[in-house]
Amino acid sequence: MKIVIAGAGEVGFHLAKLLSYESHDITLIDLDSERLAYADNKSDIRVMKGNATSISVLKDANVKMTDLVIAVTSNETINITISVLAKRLGAKRTIARINNSEFIDNKEEINFSEFGIDELISTEELATNEIKMMLNQAAFNHIHEYDEGELSMFGIMLSKSAPFVGMSVKEAALTFPEIHFMPIAIQCEHSDEIKIPRGDTVFRSGDLAYFITLKEGVTELYKLTGKTKEHVHNVMILGGSNIGKRTAKELCHKKLNVKILEVNKDKALELADELPHALVVYGDGRDVELLKEENIDEMDVFIAATESSETNIMACLIAKSKHVKKTIALAENIDYSKLSHSIGIDTIINKKLLAANSIFKHIRKGDVLEIATLNNLDAELLEFQVREDSKITRKIIRELNFPREATIGGVIREGKGHIALGDFRIQAHDKVVVSCLADAVSKVEKFFD
């Protein structure tokens, strides 16, 4: 597939990296030479310096022969313009990244396809949905679902009370033979490195462990990781940003007690009018005394959703020091995603990563159905569609000589999830979820050729 990506920022670069795994013909356009040089060195793509709203630049990129144009600059107006121009110039399909979720809410009425935009990706909507999913399973740090939950990935901090802490993976499997989940990755405490667990890997207190589980395994996972299902009633949101406001509306609709802190007086007054079922407080959420006055110690969840990543992270650290059970911070810098485990914030949400992964879902073709990054670490979750003649079908899993830097977490067969143990044999048309280190992707792909 020939693809043109406009915007070499974090979204564009991450997306180009994901798409390069499938050997697409990718052209990345941007005005920033340094961004393009970095992307050129890191990926097997063509880079092109220029303004993607220029008709001559789009023509030079041979957009008329392009299967897909993806506009992911930081400016939604520019993205819309690029998409419209590209479609008029002959691009078969276009996707535009936007910030304003109103476009998504009213897309049926507006019918953006008439203007030449086939898909809209709203970073606000994606971030809000991610927050809602995290609140549904508040004890977990990271969540990702496949086939409407037939398989789910959960990341969770292991506590001292977890029954299998101190055991190896093999010992835990023998001790709890009826479990319906599989460990797929572990990030050790005070480290940003991740490892793929083998039989002799030992679970340690403080590890951030990632599991693939079936629907019936979620309750078991709570029990065996030393966690309890948290019931969320009281939520404090720092910042009346579009994401903060949208999240507050959703939570008020669920009859939760929502309190919003907003440092801008005029904005606080507007929020109070728009959110009659939430309590809006005018003040600086970094002020420890204000947080105490607003009973932060009674909050089940603290969500930092200002426009400043640093403010969000600092506020969550303060909330955590006041024993708030669950803290969620929005962060623009993708590198900040690595910090959540090491500094004690439960979840850092990066809307740029969410946008890139969501766009990939809209264009998935061939064998790789989906790619997700584990907390922006050097590990990927890949979902493969198995071909008739794939190497992966020739033997049971333990006899496949599968790369040590990867593990098969689960299989979806005819719409039903399965935990894939050593004696499981994968069949044609199965969907297989694999966790692997980034430098092992090419090795894993060979099993699905």
Side-chain angles (χ1 to χ4, degrees), residues 151-176:
L151 290 178
S152 296
M153 182 280 291
F154 292 105
I156 190 166
M157 195 87 69
L158 299 182
S159 65
K160 294 179 181 179
S161 60
F164 55 73
V165 161
M167 295 183 185
S168 68
V169 171
K170 186 176 181 180
E171 289 170 341
L174 293 172
T175 305
F176 307 102

Side-chain angles (χ1 to χ4, degrees), residues 313-330:
I313 290 172
M314 183 61 66
C316 279
L317 290 175
I318 295 172
K320 205 65 180 175
S321 72
K322 301 304 176 185
H323 310 294
V324 176
K325 299 172 186 175
K326 179 82 171 179
T327 54
I328 300 173
L330 297 184

